[in-house]
Amino acid sequence: NAGVTQTPKFRILKIGQSMTLQCTQDMNHNYMYWYRQDPGMGLKLIYYSVGAGITDKGEVPNGYNVSRSTTEDFPLRLELAAPSQTSVYFCASSQGQGAGGPQHFGDGTRLSIL
Amino acid sequence: RKEVEQDPGPFNVPEGATVAFNCTYSNSASQSFFWYRQDCRKEPKLLMSVYSSGNEDGRFTAQLNRASQYISLLIRDSKLSDSATYLCVVTPLTGGGNKLTFGTGTQLKVEL
């Protein structure tokens, strides 16, 4: 019963490097999300998707890109890593449309940019 | 003003105590409300939804006051395992995508 799976769990990058954070869900949820959580702060929405082929910006999209070619996968791309992107990244998915569907989260990816 | 505001705590309470958290939200168009629980260095997990009439789940009771735009969570008979950060979450009806707005959380520490 996997739910939402994120890889890698930890990663250290150098400034200017690029990487992709992977997220996959096996619940056939249409909605998927990427958040970042900085220490002592709430979760901030980076990007979200309401279905395959459809993505939209959240609150803090700068420096990131996403794609949604399948229902299951929603990778997050960092093109030019910056120290300000050091954070914990959570991927989530939900079934419900409109307001109200609970979101299911992955375990998170802890990313440090040095 | 933040969209969702919570007292960060920490709330240090003895085992068995009753503790209450409040959360205020600024967008009067907010339609759905939740409490999530987040353990240290873990992912958030849904604790309970909050309904207009108030709702209870075991030792946990959630209330919504739309007129004053606040949500509350009451925990009775606190257990050591209740120690966590409790996130207040709201979502508007409009805007699509079922987007959630998270508060920064209230930390609860239950002690012997």
Side-chain angles (χ1 to χ4, degrees):
Chain A
N1 204 11
V4 179
T5 302
Q6 291 183 237
T7 56
K9 294 195 183 307
F10 305 93
R11 184 72 184 268
I12 298 174
L13 284 182
K14 294 182 179 179
I15 295 171
Q17 285 186 319
S18 62
M19 77 163 292
T20 299
L21 282 66
Q22 301 291 344
C23 175
T24 187
Q25 52 94 5
D26 61 1
M27 297 174 282
N28 201 32
H29 286 170
N30 286 322
Y31 291 69
M32 296 188 74
Y33 313 83
W34 274 105
Y35 296 90
R36 61 176 286 172
Q37 186 175 32
D38 299 326
M41 304 295 286
L43 279 78
K44 301 291 186 184
L45 182 65
I46 304 171
Y47 271 95
Y48 68 100
S49 169
V50 300
I54 306 170
T55 63
D56 207 347
K57 296 178 180 178
E59 186 180 357
V60 290
N62 292 343
Y64 307 94
N65 279 299
V66 293
S67 60
R68 185 94 182 272
S69 57
T70 66
T71 299
E72 295 78 19
D73 300 308
F74 191 39
L76 177 72
R77 178 96 178 147
L78 282 72
E79 291 294 349
L80 289 171
S84 61
Q85 293 177 305
T86 294
S87 191
V88 180
Y89 291 83
F90 289 104
C91 178
S93 71
S94 71
Q95 176 74 29
Q97 296 186 22
Q103 294 187 7
H104 302 265
F105 285 80
D107 293 343
T109 294
R110 284 157 181 77
L111 182 62
S112 294
I113 316 295
L114 303 176
Chain B
R1 182 183 175 186
K2 290 182 181 178
E3 288 191 65
V4 179
E5 292 201 68
Q6 297 182 250
D7 181 343
F11 284 60
N12 298 306
V13 303
E15 201 173 17
T18 296
V19 61
F21 308 135
N22 285 333
C23 162
T24 58
Y25 60 95
S26 61
N27 185 352
S28 60
S30 298
Q31 290 293 323
S32 294
F33 309 90
F34 308 93
W35 285 101
Y36 276 70
R37 171 194 169 128
Q38 186 173 26
D39 293 294
C40 186
R41 300 178 67 80
K42 298 284 190 179
E43 75 276 20
K45 292 183 179 179
L46 179 66
L47 178 67
M48 59 195 304
S49 301
V50 186
Y51 303 120
S52 296
S53 56
N55 50 298
E56 189 174 304
D57 183 1
R59 297 181 293 108
F60 299 84
T61 300
Q63 298 275 356
L64 168 64
N65 184 319
R66 286 189 183 274
S68 300
Q69 293 181 210
Y70 79 81
I71 308 152
S72 65
L73 177 67
L74 181 77
I75 306 175
R76 291 180 299 278
D77 189 22
S78 300
K79 311 292 185 189
L80 293 175
S81 58
D82 294 334
S83 297
T85 296
Y86 291 83
L87 307 174
C88 175
V89 184
V90 306
T91 185
L93 180 63
T94 59
N98 191 26
K99 290 180 288 185
L100 304 180
T101 300
F102 286 80
T104 54
T106 298
Q107 188 178 10
L108 172 66
K109 296 181 180 179
V110 182
E111 302 163 334
L112 287 171

